[in-house]
Amino acid sequence: MFAGTLLFLIVSPRHWLATPWPYAGAAVALIVFTPVIVWNVQHLVASLAFQSGRATGAYLQPLMPLATVAGIAVCLTP
């Protein structure tokens, strides 16, 4: 996702990187996300340890992306 966004910003004919808005957005995101970073540093990255403990990868489910998209479609369409 980040690589795609950066590629869009680079090849876009509007030259988005020449405006202050991407940098203002990055600054706001950093300000909002700073408490999360501080908490993780103070607690020895506990949230990453918890999430990585849940990611087992024991088996592959190749149809899971389709099931996810189908579930979203069921919830969002009449």
Side-chain angles (χ1 to χ4, degrees):
M1 182 175 83
F2 297 115
T5 302
L6 184 62
L7 182 64
F8 166 77
L9 290 173
I10 291 171
V11 300
S12 176
R14 295 185 184 199
H15 303 290
W16 291 103
L17 292 177
T19 66
W21 301 116
Y23 306 106
V28 169
L30 183 63
I31 290 168
V32 170
F33 197 65
T34 297
V36 175
I37 296 170
V38 170
W39 187 91
N40 274 299
V41 168
Q42 291 174 346
H43 292 91
L44 302 173
V45 197
S47 64
L48 291 177
F50 173 73
Q51 293 297 337
S52 64
R54 295 176 50 198
T56 59
Y59 53 92
L60 180 65
Q61 294 182 346
L63 296 179
M64 187 54 71
L66 294 175
T68 302
V69 170
I72 293 169
V74 166
C75 291
L76 295 179
T77 56

